[in-house]
Amino acid sequence: SYELTQPPSVSVSPGQTASITCSGDKLGDRYACWYQQKPGQSPVLVIYEDNKRPSGIPERFSGSNSGNTATLTISGTQTMDEADYYCQAWDSDTWVFGGGTKLTVL
Amino acid sequence: QVQLVQSGAEVKKPGASVRVSCKASGYTFTSYDINWVRQATGQGLEWMGWMNPNSGKTVYAQKFQGRVTMTRNTSITTAYMELSSLRSDDTATYYCARDGSFVFDYWGQGSLVIVSS
């Protein structure tokens, strides 16, 4: 079965750029999505189709996907961006989530 | 506005079954697939399966095949997820999510299921 691998944690200072990776076999050949989840809340879509932002998501969130790696980039990270982030991809009629990355802003 | 409102928390004994509901509003229920995702406390998201509310077609994650059943009642725009033969490691928050063209664009608030003797 298809697998997506994320680093368990990433730390960033406020105002700096955070990058969260998601690796999978030939991931660049399929679309990747990213979700943000804060404690006690449902996940929220922040990036879809590799690099598109839903309405209401700040411009500081961006995405890319090439080769075996998709990347979520948060420019000018704010304390409110501290959360868990999950990548997601479609594979053979099923959905796959990465294990999640805890982003700490300190 | 699009809303997915789920049923409340449940406490079940091992071996029992649980059914979680997901009431959709604000859009045409039969036009978008419904997915179910679960999350154990402190753990990641785990996809369980999807259902097409128009046709009733379902696809389940291999891990849950034989134990999960996803259904719907189009007259009341509600999707259901039933999980049987519950074990303690099925204790989790269960979410429904709308598939807005290969993206989970709306999520329910989650339903906590506790499996305990």
Side-chain angles (χ1 to χ4, degrees), chain A:
Chain A
S1 61
Y2 196 72
E3 293 184 359
L4 295 174
T5 302
Q6 298 179 235
S9 62
V10 168
S11 296
V12 64
S13 299
Q16 299 304 302
T17 297
S19 295
I20 299 173
T21 59
C22 173
S23 298
D25 185 48
K26 297 180 181 178
L27 180 55
D29 290 347
R30 60 194 83 202
Y31 281 136
C33 303
W34 291 91
Y35 299 88
Q36 175 195 70
Q37 187 181 33
K38 296 182 178 180
Q41 298 183 17
S42 301
V44 172
L45 177 70
V46 294
I47 291 290
Y48 68 100
E49 291 183 4
D50 296 339
N51 54 22
K52 295 183 171 64
R53 276 180 295 104
S55 62
I57 300 301
E59 290 185 11
R60 64 179 180 274
F61 287 86
S62 63
S64 63
N65 186 14
S66 179
N68 294 323
T69 304
T71 303
L72 173 68
T73 302
I74 309 173
S75 304
T77 307
Q78 300 184 10
T79 54
M80 69 172 66
D81 299 329
E82 186 164 286
D84 294 326
Y85 291 85
Y86 295 90
C87 60
Q88 179 197 35
W90 173 256
D91 176 69
S92 302
D93 230 15
T94 68
W95 286 103
V96 181
F97 285 103
T101 299
K102 180 175 181 57
L103 177 66
T104 301
V105 183
L106 44 66

Side-chain angles (χ1 to χ4, degrees), chain B residues 24 36-37 54:
Chain B
W36 289 89
V37 177
N54 184 46

Side-chain angles (χ1 to χ4, degrees), chain B residues 3 8-9 19 35 40 44 50 52 54 57 61-62 64 67 82 90 92 96-97 99-101 110 112-113 117:
Chain B
Q3 280 192 303
R19 190 176 81 157
N35 285 259
W50 62 260
N52 180 306
N54 184 46
K57 176 182 176 179
Q62 188 170 9
F64 299 102
R67 278 210 306 145
E82 182 169 5
D90 291 318
C96 61
D99 183 341
S101 188
L112 176 62
V113 175
S117 55

